[in-house]
Amino acid sequence: MTKAFLPQMKAKNHGHIVTIASALGLFSTACVADYCASKFGAVGFHESLTHELRAEDLDGIKTTLVCPYIVDTGMFAGCEIRKELQSVIPPLKPLYTVQQSMKAILAEQQMICIPRLMYLPFLTRALLPWEANVATYRFMGGDKCMLPFIKNVELKASNGHIKSS
């Protein structure tokens, strides 16, 4: 999409590029390395493109990076953080996620983490030593949060609900 529209945007110095990534593009979790890698790739693409536009003084082309936490669409059904924290960071409602994303886009906000609490692991990842991040990750249940999800997928696959390649 970017290749298709960017040349005209550059010619007019006008437009807005929105990259939908994930909180898992800013920090990772176990058992979904492929998903995390694709989201880290989206974040890297977005950052690089934003730098490119600035280097070319194309200030009329805006960019917004959207990084939501788990959105309650069923994609990660079964994913659970530590029980005591589930009420603090519940899965996001799709409508709320869209509303927050649109507010950020219309305000020309360069990046939005939904909920705002997702800025914390992003910042601590950069500021704290690796072992401190691992300890926090384990305390929150991040090291095992995807295990129920993986179990659900495997169960569905064994029951013939999902065809694997």
Side-chain angles (χ1 to χ4, degrees):
M1 283 299 247
T2 305
K3 280 186 176 183
F5 290 98
L6 189 58
Q8 281 294 0
M9 287 180 172
K10 284 183 171 184
K12 295 179 181 182
N13 191 23
H14 182 76
H16 199 129
I17 297 170
V18 179
T19 305
I20 306 296
S22 168
L24 292 180
L26 304 172
F27 54 90
S28 60
T29 193
C31 303
V32 285
D34 51 353
Y35 181 82
C36 291
S38 71
K39 297 307 178 180
F40 268 81
V43 170
F45 170 79
H46 178 87
E47 289 178 358
S48 181
L49 180 60
T50 301
H51 288 303
E52 178 183 319
L53 294 170
R54 288 189 176 187
E56 294 177 25
D57 292 321
L58 294 167
D59 58 352
I61 303 173
K62 308 303 179 192
T63 62
T64 300
L65 175 63
V66 180
C67 297
Y69 176 63
I70 296 170
V71 181
D72 191 12
T73 61
M75 181 174 170
F76 287 118
C79 174
E80 294 179 357
I81 59 171
R82 187 176 175 155
K83 297 235 184 273
E84 297 86 352
L85 299 174
Q86 288 176 8
S87 63
V88 178
I89 316 172
L92 301 169
K93 298 291 182 201
L95 180 60
Y96 173 77
T97 306
V98 170
Q99 289 169 334
Q100 295 303 304
S101 299
M102 287 306 301
K103 281 183 190 176
I105 293 163
L106 295 172
E108 298 180 358
Q109 188 175 330
Q110 294 178 343
M111 177 181 174
I112 181 169
C113 289
I114 309 168
R116 290 171 118 16
L117 190 59
M118 290 298 106
Y119 286 106
L120 287 176
F122 172 60
L123 291 171
T124 60
R125 182 174 184 266
L127 298 173
L128 296 178
W130 173 255
E131 289 304 321
N133 280 296
V134 170
T136 303
Y137 172 73
R138 287 183 175 158
F139 170 78
M140 293 187 68
D143 56 333
K144 296 182 175 123
C145 68
M146 287 294 179
L147 294 179
F149 162 73
I150 298 297
K151 191 173 184 176
N152 283 346
V153 170
E154 289 171 351
L155 184 63
K156 287 179 182 178
S158 69
N159 290 333
H161 288 98
I162 298 174
K163 295 180 182 177
S164 58
S165 50

